[in-house]
Amino acid sequence: MSIVTVQLGQCGNQIGFEVFDALYNDSHCPQGLCSKRENEVYQESCKERFFSEEENGVPVARAVLVDMEPKVINQTLSKAAQSGQWKYGQHSCFCQKQGSGNNWAYGYSVHGPRHEEPIMNLIQKEVEKCDCLSGFFIIMSMAGGTGSGLGAFITQNLQDQYSNALKMNQIIWPYGTGEVIVQNYNSILTLSHLYRSSDALLVHENDAVHKICAKLMNIKQISFRDINQVLAHQLGSVFQPTYSMEGSYHYRRNPLGGFKDPELYTSWLAPVNAFSAWKTQRAFRKYEKSAALVSNSQFLLKPLDTIVGKAWNMFASKAYIHQYTKFGIEEEDFLDSFTLLEQVVASYCNV
Amino acid sequence: MTQSVVVQVGQCGNQIGCCFWDLALREHAAVNQKGIYDEAISSFFRNVDTRVVGDGGSISKGKICSLKARAVLIDMEEGVVNEILQGPLRDVFDNKQLITDISGSGNNWAVGHKVFGSLYQEQILEKLRKSAEHCDCLQCFFIIHSMGGGTGSGLGTFLLKVLEDEFPEVYRFVTSVYPSGEDDVITSPYNSILAMKELNEHADCVLPIDNQSLFDIISKIDLMVNSGKLGTTVKPKSLVTSSAEALKKQHQKPFDGMNNIVANLLLNLTSSARFEGSLNMDLNEISMNLVPFPQLHYLVSSLTPLYTLADVNIPTRRLKPSLQFISWNQEGWKTSLCSVPPVGHSHSLLALANNTCVKPTFMELRERFMRLYKKKAHLHHYLQIEGMEESCFAEAVSSVSGLIEEYKQLDATLGTPVEDLPRLSVAV
């Protein structure tokens, strides 16, 4: 059951590298407290999902790297090769010379159609290497131009071409204090398009991860490398295998009954159905015990509401709109996005 | 990786351009220890085998043979360009990329724009096309000129229209030096206002440079350096105002210090596009993030440090803005991080702001213009040029007034409590 990863833009590629590194290091960790057999089973399950075997034994990440300018991809490829432990495929990247200029419209309407064929071909090649495709993992940011715009376009294409495979998008929520001035526009356009074509959106907020680095890890001068590594660590533990060669109940679905607090659940789903747990004997990386939680809750309601509010205020003054209309994204497209997201906000509110 | 072409027009443009190329060479020499022609260098330089005659000499990889600047030098009198071609930078310029004349524009925008514009249009187009052909992926034209004279102002802005028509997808970043109040060119207000209309309409981004401010900066630095404050020593290589040669002499050429600041600005601006960093910023992102409305594309720049002291302590707090942002753009920040600092510095910060503080500058310029125009002083020098009529003046000042009005409207929102607009209400 393999997963093909698509890394888009600077953020997607920088994080993608850290994720593969974390996954590789996890599966090659000393076995800790579990049995040797257990460890082998775990390693088998992990490797097959994210890496394919190369002739000289160096595992190759099942990934396609896409960026509209070459600097980041070059860095990512060389960092992986330097590690000596795993690498990216030689022909797994697609690169152009000039970036998307933080412009969602440029990423979606210009780069998308222009480069659709070569990018989808690369993904197809990666899919063909898999015995059994479980789905796609797409890593992108929302604030920029390539990850966000081209990411939305590619996800749509994946929906059309591989409608049976699951698509999970890892989206990076930008800092509230601003990294890119038009990040709110880019974000709402991304989210509204992904809502229609993606199966799941796994969200990481830069602000939240930053706080983890500052408060929990006491890092003094937090760099993007630190943030990306924390993120990759979290994703790695989320990606621990639930299936293995031994059978699908090897990592027992262990209904503990879930959390006791009724506030955590909706009225129309009993806790025993809302909560699923998987347990493995083999610990994640070097920890003795660890736990990872993924939840669908009202947690993101506030950030979503904030972004929609700010984008709406800016839209009302018509600022920066000419930068989008010149590449084919009209005011109606903005309004459609706003409408869809207001519905999402309202739905979460009603839960 | 993309390339940029620098077009330096007029005396001011060429002198600043000279400082720019000197600094660019020093920067790449510091970063590129092995002498390999890489993508970073290729953004501003071509690698040429000078033994090959004609056009076939370009080398795209490997060791550096001979670097040629991606530049077009234009001046309607020969003095400045000739000096450059006899100076230490003579080998950096391709002498097929020059356009010169003898008589100069006489500080007359109309002569630069109308007379020399039409006379040299074909040649200009040819040189620009040539420089574009040498680029793998041309992203931006950097035009450097002054507003107060005749060539830089008139021919420099004539160029903008040519560039817009011929290369519509390539960005036009214009570095314009605005005349100070005590400028000795009497007609500089006319030249500046006539030029501003062109900037409003045909430039993507303008970096206005104020001569008076540059002069103040130089004075401040001189004071700091000479006063020997607190016994600190200024590291010689780190003076943003100095070029390598001038360090030896006490008296540099006049304007050298000021020109070096502008050169530093331009290099710093493009660092993130040329070198690696954890949060890259390309030139097209500058335009995207800082230009909310097409005409409001004037970006005020500030640079720090201007010199490095022997021991510098960098406080590790995040920038806390005490600036007044407009209501619909409360977090109007675009940040970029580049790993390669400028020559002689361990770190540096460049800030570009789209700020309504340019409004008073434009209003003052308009004021000086009106004082002359009401009396019709010196107008005949312009009107005797074919293609110039009084309506040109009227249109120009109207264009500037329109711009000032747009800034005024944005300023008017300051201080008034702004409510969030009612959001869309949807049925679920």
Side-chain angles (χ1 to χ4, degrees):
Chain A
M1 298 294 293
S2 310
I3 297 179
V4 171
T5 302
V6 184
Q7 331 182 153
L8 291 145
Q10 173 167 28
C11 176
N13 280 293
Q14 281 175 194
I15 290 180
F17 167 76
E18 301 292 349
V19 171
F20 279 105
D21 211 39
L23 290 168
Y24 180 85
N25 283 323
D26 173 45
S27 73
H28 283 77
C29 237
Q31 65 200 50
L33 298 170
C34 69
S35 69
K36 187 159 183 267
R37 177 78 197 126
E38 188 60 58
N39 193 28
E40 276 167 19
V41 169
Y42 185 83
Q43 284 185 333
E44 274 302 311
S45 325
C46 284
K47 221 162 57 152
E48 187 54 31
R49 290 170 106 208
F50 288 101
F51 295 92
S52 61
E53 203 60 46
E54 178 97 324
E55 270 118 72
N56 47 12
V58 179
V60 176
R62 296 190 193 279
V64 175
L65 296 78
V66 180
D67 201 359
M68 293 297 104
E69 59 105 6
K71 290 197 297 286
V72 181
I73 285 193
N74 287 341
Q75 257 189 314
T76 311
L77 289 176
S78 62
K79 270 200 288 196
Q82 270 169 18
S83 75
Q85 297 171 317
W86 63 273
K87 60 182 191 182
Y88 284 106
Q90 255 183 325
H91 303 287
S92 309
C93 13
F94 182 81
C95 206
Q96 289 294 281
K97 299 187 195 122
Q98 195 175 169
S100 305
N102 285 168
N103 192 328
W104 193 93
Y106 200 73
Y108 186 83
S109 308
V110 177
H111 282 309
R114 208 181 271 178
H115 308 302
E116 183 179 343
E117 213 182 297
I119 296 179
M120 295 311 287
N121 280 343
L122 276 182
I123 297 179
Q124 172 81 4
K125 273 215 199 83
E126 212 44 62
V127 168
E128 280 164 11
K129 282 196 222 159
C130 301
D131 274 336
C132 177
L133 178 70
S134 144
F136 296 98
F137 180 54
I138 301 136
I139 317 181
M140 53 201 262
S141 71
M142 293 204 302
T146 300
S148 67
L150 185 58
F153 183 85
I154 296 292
T155 309
Q156 229 165 273
N157 265 35
L158 290 174
Q159 168 79 327
D160 294 334
Q161 212 172 321
Y162 302 93
S163 45
N164 287 326
L166 286 174
K167 289 159 296 299
M168 180 161 86
N169 291 67
Q170 158 72 51
I171 52 181
I172 303 300
W173 207 268
Y175 280 105
T177 48
E179 301 162 16
V180 172
I181 296 182
V182 289
Q183 65 188 39
N184 298 319
Y185 280 168
N186 292 339
S187 299
I188 57 133
L189 287 165
T190 306
L191 287 171
S192 63
H193 279 79
L194 285 183
Y195 258 100
R196 296 175 212 148
S197 45
S198 172
D199 297 304
L201 302 178
L202 188 59
V203 179
H204 271 99
E205 296 169 86
N206 267 350
D207 279 308
V209 182
H210 190 100
K211 247 194 243 165
I212 294 177
C213 289
K215 304 253 164 79
L216 294 181
M217 296 173 70
N218 280 319
I219 304 180
K220 292 282 181 260
Q221 288 191 292
I222 300 169
S223 66
F224 273 109
R225 183 116 206 266
D226 299 314
I227 301 222
N228 292 342
Q229 285 183 330
V230 169
L231 233 146
H233 188 84
Q234 289 191 346
L235 277 176
S237 71
V238 165
F239 275 129
Q240 284 192 297
T242 57
Y243 286 95
S244 83
M245 298 305 175
E246 308 261 306
S248 42
Y249 286 103
H250 185 82
Y251 298 115
R252 297 185 320 271
R253 182 176 167 160
N254 195 357
L256 304 168
F259 295 114
K260 298 290 181 211
D261 188 354
E263 292 272 308
L264 294 170
Y265 300 99
T266 60
S267 54
W268 32 266
L269 200 57
V272 73
N273 293 322
F275 185 84
S276 303
W278 285 264
K279 202 167 99 140
T280 87
Q281 306 282 39
R282 203 299 208 153
F284 180 62
R285 293 180 96 161
K286 301 203 184 84
Y287 293 112
E288 205 182 287
K289 286 196 208 305
S290 68
L293 173 68
V294 181
S295 63
N296 187 350
S297 69
Q298 289 183 326
F299 180 63
L300 273 173
L301 181 54
K302 188 149 178 296
L304 183 60
D305 195 54
T306 309
I307 278 196
V308 175
K310 288 199 190 143
W312 182 247
N313 272 338
M314 200 184 265
F315 182 67
S317 68
K318 299 278 176 276
Y320 300 102
I321 300 293
H322 71 284
Q323 307 271 18
Y324 292 85
T325 50
K326 78 174 163 195
F327 297 115
I329 299 296
E330 306 295 331
E331 290 187 23
E332 292 90 64
D333 298 302
F334 276 90
L335 284 171
D336 285 340
S337 301
F338 280 116
T339 314
L340 198 152
L341 289 178
E342 292 286 5
Q343 282 173 339
V344 171
V345 168
S347 305
Y348 266 109
C349 274
N350 282 344
V351 159
Chain B
M1 187 76 76
T2 54
Q3 290 82 40
S4 304
V5 171
V6 174
V7 186
Q8 28 195 95
V9 193
Q11 174 172 22
C12 173
N14 277 290
Q15 283 176 338
I16 293 180
C18 211
C19 291
F20 171 80
W21 291 110
D22 175 65
L23 196 59
L25 283 170
R26 276 196 287 149
E27 180 169 276
H28 282 290
V31 172
N32 194 334
Q33 304 278 345
K34 295 187 192 149
I36 304 282
Y37 182 69
D38 61 9
E39 296 212 323
I41 270 201
S42 83
S43 59
F44 281 117
F45 294 95
R46 290 166 48 211
N47 189 16
V48 173
D49 184 350
T50 40
R51 295 166 299 179
V52 176
V53 172
D55 279 338
S58 286
I59 313 170
S60 53
K61 297 187 192 174
K63 269 204 129 22
I64 293 177
C65 192
S66 171
L67 288 176
K68 292 281 180 210
R70 297 190 193 277
V72 179
L73 289 73
I74 304 178
D75 200 0
M76 293 297 100
E77 50 168 22
E78 297 180 311
V80 180
V81 174
N82 278 344
E83 208 185 314
I84 296 178
L85 293 179
Q86 282 157 17
L89 289 178
R90 60 181 167 275
D91 290 325
V92 167
F93 296 108
D94 184 347
N95 44 24
K96 290 179 245 136
Q97 292 297 89
L98 312 170
I99 300 180
T100 53
D101 199 300
I102 311 176
S103 45
S105 305
N107 284 329
N108 187 329
W109 182 93
V111 173
H113 196 96
K114 306 275 183 189
V115 176
F116 287 125
S118 54
L119 195 60
Y120 285 102
Q121 179 163 8
E122 273 315 306
Q123 267 199 54
I124 291 176
L125 258 177
E126 191 207 311
K127 314 276 179 195
L128 290 172
R129 281 194 196 123
K130 222 349 125 34
S131 59
E133 274 164 34
H134 283 136
C135 295
D136 212 6
C137 179
L138 177 61
Q139 184 179 47
C140 185
F141 283 106
F142 282 101
I143 296 109
I144 316 180
H145 72 145
S146 71
M147 301 282 278
T151 302
S153 173
L155 191 53
T157 51
F158 174 81
L159 253 183
L160 285 179
K161 186 79 177 61
V162 170
L163 288 172
E164 191 177 31
D165 291 337
E166 186 72 13
F167 306 95
E169 308 213 328
V170 180
Y171 284 88
R172 295 170 293 284
F173 265 69
V174 190
T175 305
S176 306
V177 179
Y178 280 72
S180 62
E182 296 93 40
D183 195 80
D184 51 5
V185 176
I186 300 183
T187 49
S188 65
Y190 281 161
N191 297 332
S192 303
I193 294 283
L194 288 163
M196 272 214 58
K197 171 170 177 289
E198 307 299 314
L199 290 182
N200 283 347
E201 290 172 16
H202 305 299
D204 285 313
C205 262
V206 179
L207 302 162
I209 308 282
D210 176 35
N211 256 347
Q212 189 60 48
S213 308
L214 287 180
F215 188 74
D216 290 339
I217 294 175
I218 300 290
S219 316
K220 217 190 286 180
I221 295 181
D222 275 343
L223 206 63
M224 284 297 290
V225 171
N226 294 328
S227 72
K229 204 173 178 187
L230 300 173
T232 50
T233 46
V234 175
K235 294 201 286 188
K237 260 205 205 151
S238 72
L239 275 176
V240 162
T241 55
S242 69
S243 54
E245 271 194 17
L247 279 171
K248 299 178 197 145
K249 307 184 260 206
Q250 181 61 12
H251 293 292
Q252 312 164 30
K253 288 205 293 268
F255 294 116
D256 247 5
M258 292 158 68
N259 291 342
N260 263 302
I261 298 181
V262 183
N264 265 285
L265 161 68
L266 283 174
L267 260 188
N268 217 313
L269 190 66
T270 54
S271 299
S272 187
R274 290 175 293 135
F275 300 114
E276 60 176 35
S278 57
L279 194 56
N280 295 334
M281 184 181 74
D282 215 345
L283 293 167
N284 47 10
E285 292 173 25
I286 297 181
S287 170
M288 175 69 185
N289 282 288
L290 294 177
V291 182
F293 303 102
Q295 290 235 327
L296 304 184
H297 53 242
Y298 292 84
L299 305 178
V300 176
S301 44
S302 17
L303 197 56
T304 188
L306 294 167
Y307 54 87
T308 313
L309 302 176
D311 293 306
V312 173
N313 225 339
I314 316 153
T316 50
R317 58 174 186 274
R318 231 184 142 178
L319 292 169
K320 279 227 174 340
S322 51
L323 307 163
Q324 289 162 322
F325 281 93
I326 200 154
S327 65
W328 41 259
N329 205 357
Q330 287 288 310
E331 293 91 23
W333 290 97
K334 158 74 180 163
T335 326
S336 154
L337 302 163
C338 176
S339 315
V340 178
V343 180
H345 294 271
S346 60
H347 60 280
S348 151
L349 175 67
L350 167 70
L352 289 177
N354 193 341
N355 194 326
T356 55
C357 70
V358 288
K359 188 189 69 177
T361 310
F362 297 152
M363 288 173 75
E364 233 182 75
L365 200 56
R366 185 178 59 176
E367 200 43 39
R368 280 187 266 149
F369 173 94
M370 291 311 291
R371 262 180 277 161
L372 288 175
Y373 190 57
K374 275 199 203 122
K375 302 275 166 71
K376 307 263 188 262
H378 301 279
L379 219 51
H380 59 285
H381 293 296
Y382 293 80
L383 297 177
Q384 73 192 15
I385 304 293
E386 193 183 321
M388 279 302 281
E389 286 155 20
E390 277 212 40
S391 58
C392 297
F393 285 84
E395 277 164 23
V397 80
S398 156
S399 172
V400 176
S401 294
L403 185 68
I404 293 175
E405 203 40 54
E406 278 201 56
Y407 280 115
K408 266 205 190 128
Q409 281 177 0
L410 292 173
D411 262 342
T413 66
L414 192 66
T416 55
V418 180
E419 289 165 9
D420 283 339
L421 282 128
R423 298 256 294 268
L424 294 174
S425 54
V426 291
V428 178

